[in-house]
Amino acid sequence: MLATRRIRRWKPAALATAAALAGLTASTLTATPAAATTTAYDTTYYKNAVGKTGPGLKSSLHTIISSQTKISYSAVWNALKVTDQDPNNSNNVILLYSGASRSKSLNGGDLGDWNREHTWAKSHGDFGEVTGPGTDLHHLRPADVQVNSIRGNKDFDNGGSAVSGGGGSLTDSDSFEPRDADKGDVARMILYMAVRYDGGDGFADLEPNEKVDNGSNPYMGKLSVLKHWNEQDPPSAFEEKRNQAIYDTYQHNRNPFIDHPEWVEAIW
């Protein structure tokens, strides 16, 4: 296994302190842009992308990450038990949105179970559960059945009422806001999908936009909010380990925005 070596200069603590001194609320903050990072993959996996920006960077990353091994939707169950294993309890997985630790054996569709959440809602582009975008581990996460149902196919935005069992997540009629610890994860998963699936492979061209309530259109909003979340919630050790497991064991491709979160701003 090739470990990722990273140099990052994020400033969330300084930002929070400055905001407190100024008497600002969290909703009014503008996150500090991610500084450049360096990983062990820059001279190998990402060598054709490093140094590029804009459409050129997006195109290069698409070519790189499109080389992947695809798995079946049924195989996703066991894969998630590995990629999302609770680092403090090997019998459990950590659930997206709620942050709860739940037994791996409770996968299913009943109340109290966890199931497979398509972070990029499968109706947005109508790709369903087919091998490809419907089974891509980089946006599939275990989630509580009830919380997953509440999220449904809503776009992502700030605001709403508390989600029961959602760990601090909020929702309204047309959008969903994950708990703070998952905001960056969600942003990087959505933007991975937008780069990986660009209209080839017989699937829709997935793109972020500034709308909510996108329905069956192949869009996911809101881009400005997702960009802010990427800055607000940098990649965690859990997220990085997950990216590595998908690369090493399952799909053999990476989410570039976990390795280089500053590439979000470089493209969008």
Side-chain angles (χ1 to χ4, degrees), residues 74-87 89-94 102-108 114 116 137 140-142 238 242 245 250:
S74 61
V76 168
W77 285 121
N78 286 332
L80 293 180
K81 294 176 183 180
V82 175
T83 60
D84 292 76
Q85 179 174 293
D86 183 344
N89 184 345
S90 61
N91 294 315
N92 288 9
V93 291
I94 299 293
R102 190 162 300 171
S103 173
K104 292 178 179 178
S105 65
L106 290 176
N107 61 296
W114 62 268
R116 298 160 291 186
L137 290 170
L140 284 163
R141 296 284 289 268
F238 182 87
R242 185 178 197 278
Y250 298 102

Coordinates of all heavy atoms in Angstrom, one line a residue, residues 74-87 89-94 102-108 114 116 137 140-142 238 242 245 250:
S74 N -24.9 -5.5 -5.4 CA -24.9 -6.4 -4.3 C -23.6 -6.5 -3.6 O -23.5 -6.7 -2.3 CB -25.3 -7.8 -4.7 OG -24.4 -8.4 -5.7
A75 N -22.5 -6.3 -4.3 CA -21.1 -6.3 -3.7 C -20.9 -5.1 -2.9 O -19.9 -5.1 -2.0 CB -20.1 -6.5 -4.8
V76 N -21.7 -4.1 -3.1 CA -21.5 -2.8 -2.3 C -21.7 -3.1 -0.8 O -21.0 -2.5 0.0 CB -22.4 -1.7 -2.8 CG1 -22.5 -0.5 -1.8 CG2 -22.0 -1.3 -4.2
W77 N -22.6 -4.0 -0.4 CA -22.8 -4.2 1.0 C -21.5 -4.6 1.7 O -21.2 -3.9 2.7 CB -23.8 -5.4 1.2 CG -25.2 -5.1 0.9 CD1 -26.0 -5.8 -0.1 CD2 -26.1 -4.2 1.5 NE1 -27.3 -5.3 0.0 CE2 -27.4 -4.4 1.0 CE3 -26.0 -3.3 2.6 CZ2 -28.5 -3.6 1.4 CZ3 -27.1 -2.6 3.0 CH2 -28.3 -2.7 2.4
N78 N -20.8 -5.6 1.2 CA -19.6 -6.1 1.9 C -18.5 -5.0 1.8 O -17.7 -4.9 2.7 CB -19.2 -7.4 1.4 CG -20.1 -8.5 1.9 OD1 -20.6 -8.5 3.0 ND2 -20.2 -9.6 1.1
A79 N -18.5 -4.3 0.7 CA -17.4 -3.3 0.5 C -17.6 -2.2 1.6 O -16.6 -1.8 2.2 CB -17.5 -2.7 -0.9
L80 N -18.8 -1.8 1.8 CA -19.0 -0.7 2.8 C -18.6 -1.1 4.2 O -18.3 -0.3 5.0 CB -20.5 -0.2 2.8 CG -20.9 0.5 1.5 CD1 -22.4 0.9 1.6 CD2 -20.1 1.7 1.2
K81 N -18.7 -2.4 4.4 CA -18.4 -2.9 5.8 C -16.9 -2.8 6.0 O -16.4 -2.8 7.1 CB -18.8 -4.4 5.9 CG -20.3 -4.6 5.9 CD -20.7 -6.0 6.0 CE -22.3 -6.2 5.9 NZ -22.7 -7.6 6.0
V82 N -16.1 -2.7 4.9 CA -14.7 -2.5 5.0 C -14.3 -1.0 4.9 O -13.6 -0.5 5.8 CB -13.9 -3.3 3.9 CG1 -12.4 -2.9 3.9 CG2 -14.2 -4.8 4.0
T83 N -14.9 -0.3 3.9 CA -14.5 1.1 3.7 C -15.0 2.0 4.8 O -14.3 3.0 5.1 CB -15.1 1.6 2.4 OG1 -16.5 1.5 2.4 CG2 -14.5 0.8 1.2
D84 N -16.1 1.7 5.4 CA -16.7 2.5 6.5 C -16.6 1.9 7.9 O -17.4 2.3 8.7 CB -18.1 2.9 6.1 CG -18.1 3.8 4.8 OD1 -17.9 3.3 3.7 OD2 -18.3 5.0 5.0
Q85 N -15.7 1.0 8.1 CA -15.6 0.4 9.4 C -15.3 1.4 10.5 O -14.4 2.3 10.3 CB -14.5 -0.7 9.3 CG -14.2 -1.4 10.6 CD -13.2 -2.5 10.5 OE1 -13.5 -3.5 9.8 NE2 -12.1 -2.4 11.1
D86 N -15.9 1.2 11.6 CA -15.6 2.1 12.7 C -14.2 1.8 13.2 O -13.9 0.7 13.6 CB -16.6 1.7 13.9 CG -16.5 2.6 15.1 OD1 -15.5 3.3 15.2 OD2 -17.4 2.6 15.9
P87 N -13.3 2.8 13.2 CA -12.0 2.6 13.7 C -11.8 2.2 15.1 O -10.8 1.6 15.5 CB -11.3 4.0 13.4 CG -12.4 4.9 13.4 CD -13.6 4.2 12.8
N89 N -14.3 0.1 16.6 CA -15.1 -1.1 16.8 C -15.2 -1.8 15.4 O -16.0 -1.4 14.6 CB -16.5 -0.8 17.3 CG -17.3 -2.0 17.7 OD1 -16.9 -3.1 17.2 ND2 -18.3 -1.9 18.4
S90 N -14.4 -2.8 15.2 CA -14.3 -3.5 13.9 C -15.6 -4.2 13.6 O -15.7 -4.7 12.4 CB -13.1 -4.4 13.9 OG -13.3 -5.5 14.9
N91 N -16.5 -4.3 14.5 CA -17.8 -5.0 14.2 C -18.8 -4.0 13.7 O -19.9 -4.5 13.3 CB -18.4 -5.6 15.5 CG -17.5 -6.8 16.0 OD1 -17.1 -7.6 15.2 ND2 -17.3 -6.8 17.3
N92 N -18.5 -2.7 13.6 CA -19.5 -1.7 13.3 C -19.0 -0.9 12.1 O -17.8 -0.9 11.7 CB -19.7 -0.8 14.4 CG -20.5 -1.4 15.5 OD1 -20.8 -2.6 15.6 ND2 -20.9 -0.5 16.5
V93 N -20.0 -0.2 11.5 CA -19.7 0.8 10.5 C -20.1 2.2 11.0 O -21.0 2.3 11.9 CB -20.4 0.6 9.1 CG1 -19.8 -0.7 8.4 CG2 -21.9 0.4 9.3
I94 N -19.5 3.3 10.5 CA -19.9 4.6 10.8 C -20.9 5.1 9.8 O -20.6 5.0 8.6 CB -18.7 5.6 10.9 CG1 -17.7 5.1 12.0 CG2 -19.2 7.0 11.1 CD1 -18.3 5.2 13.4
R102 N -22.8 1.5 14.0 CA -23.9 0.5 14.0 C -23.3 -0.8 13.5 O -22.4 -0.9 12.7 CB -25.1 0.9 13.1 CG -26.3 0.0 13.2 CD -27.5 0.7 12.7 NE -27.8 1.9 13.5 CZ -28.7 2.8 13.1 NH1 -29.5 2.6 12.0 NH2 -28.9 3.9 13.9
S103 N -23.8 -1.9 14.0 CA -23.4 -3.2 13.7 C -23.4 -3.5 12.2 O -24.4 -3.2 11.5 CB -24.2 -4.3 14.4 OG -23.8 -5.6 14.0
K104 N -22.3 -4.1 11.7 CA -22.3 -4.4 10.3 C -23.4 -5.4 9.9 O -23.8 -5.4 8.7 CB -20.9 -5.1 10.0 CG -19.7 -4.1 10.0 CD -18.4 -4.9 9.8 CE -17.2 -3.9 9.8 NZ -15.9 -4.7 9.6
S105 N -23.8 -6.2 10.8 CA -24.9 -7.2 10.5 C -26.2 -6.6 10.3 O -27.2 -7.2 9.8 CB -24.9 -8.2 11.6 OG -25.3 -7.6 12.9
L106 N -26.4 -5.3 10.7 CA -27.7 -4.6 10.6 C -27.9 -3.9 9.3 O -28.5 -2.9 9.2 CB -27.9 -3.6 11.8 CG -28.1 -4.3 13.1 CD1 -28.2 -3.2 14.2 CD2 -29.4 -5.1 13.2
N107 N -27.4 -4.5 8.2 CA -27.6 -3.9 6.9 C -28.9 -4.5 6.3 O -29.2 -5.7 6.4 CB -26.5 -4.2 5.9 CG -26.2 -5.7 5.7 OD1 -25.9 -6.4 6.6 ND2 -26.4 -6.2 4.5
G108 N -29.7 -3.6 5.8 CA -31.0 -4.0 5.3 C -32.0 -2.9 5.1 O -31.5 -1.7 4.9
W114 N -29.1 -0.2 8.6 CA -28.5 0.8 7.7 C -28.5 0.3 6.2 O -28.6 -0.9 6.0 CB -27.0 1.1 8.1 CG -26.1 -0.1 8.1 CD1 -25.8 -1.0 9.1 CD2 -25.3 -0.6 7.0 NE1 -24.9 -1.9 8.7 CE2 -24.5 -1.7 7.4 CE3 -25.1 -0.2 5.7 CZ2 -23.7 -2.4 6.6 CZ3 -24.2 -0.9 4.9 CH2 -23.5 -2.0 5.3
R116 N -27.7 1.5 1.8 CA -26.7 2.1 0.9 C -27.2 3.5 0.4 O -28.1 3.5 -0.5 CB -26.4 1.2 -0.3 CG -25.8 -0.2 0.1 CD -26.0 -1.3 -0.9 NE -27.4 -1.6 -1.1 CZ -27.8 -2.7 -1.8 NH1 -27.0 -3.4 -2.6 NH2 -29.1 -2.9 -1.9
L137 N -18.4 3.3 -5.3 CA -18.2 3.4 -3.9 C -17.8 4.8 -3.4 O -17.9 5.2 -2.2 CB -17.1 2.4 -3.4 CG -17.5 1.0 -3.4 CD1 -16.3 0.1 -3.2 CD2 -18.6 0.7 -2.4
L140 N -21.1 6.2 -2.5 CA -22.0 5.3 -1.7 C -21.5 5.2 -0.3 O -20.4 4.8 0.0 CB -22.1 3.9 -2.4 CG -23.0 3.8 -3.6 CD1 -22.7 2.6 -4.4 CD2 -24.4 3.9 -3.3
R141 N -22.4 5.4 0.7 CA -22.1 5.3 2.1 C -23.2 4.6 2.9 O -24.4 4.7 2.5 CB -21.9 6.8 2.6 CG -20.7 7.5 2.0 CD -19.4 7.1 2.5 NE -19.1 7.5 3.9 CZ -18.5 8.6 4.2 NH1 -18.1 9.5 3.3 NH2 -18.3 8.9 5.5
P142 N -22.8 4.0 4.0 CA -23.9 3.4 4.8 C -24.6 4.6 5.6 O -24.0 5.5 6.0 CB -23.1 2.5 5.8 CG -21.7 3.1 5.8 CD -21.5 3.7 4.5
F238 N -10.5 9.5 8.6 CA -11.5 8.4 8.2 C -11.7 8.5 6.7 O -11.8 7.5 6.0 CB -12.8 8.7 9.0 CG -13.9 7.6 8.6 CD1 -13.9 6.4 9.4 CD2 -14.8 7.9 7.7 CE1 -14.9 5.5 9.1 CE2 -15.8 6.9 7.4 CZ -15.8 5.7 8.1
R242 N -10.7 5.7 3.9 CA -11.7 5.2 3.0 C -11.3 5.3 1.5 O -11.4 4.3 0.7 CB -13.0 6.0 3.2 CG -14.2 5.4 2.5 CD -15.5 6.2 2.8 NE -16.6 5.4 2.4 CZ -17.1 5.4 1.2 NH1 -16.5 6.1 0.2 NH2 -18.1 4.6 0.9
A245 N -8.7 2.6 0.8 CA -9.3 1.3 0.7 C -10.0 1.1 -0.6 O -9.9 0.0 -1.2 CB -10.3 1.1 1.9
Y250 N -10.8 -2.2 -4.1 CA -12.1 -2.3 -4.9 C -12.0 -1.7 -6.3 O -12.0 -2.4 -7.3 CB -13.2 -1.7 -4.1 CG -13.4 -2.5 -2.8 CD1 -13.0 -1.9 -1.6 CD2 -14.1 -3.7 -2.8 CE1 -13.2 -2.6 -0.4 CE2 -14.2 -4.4 -1.6 CZ -13.8 -3.9 -0.4 OH -13.9 -4.6 0.8

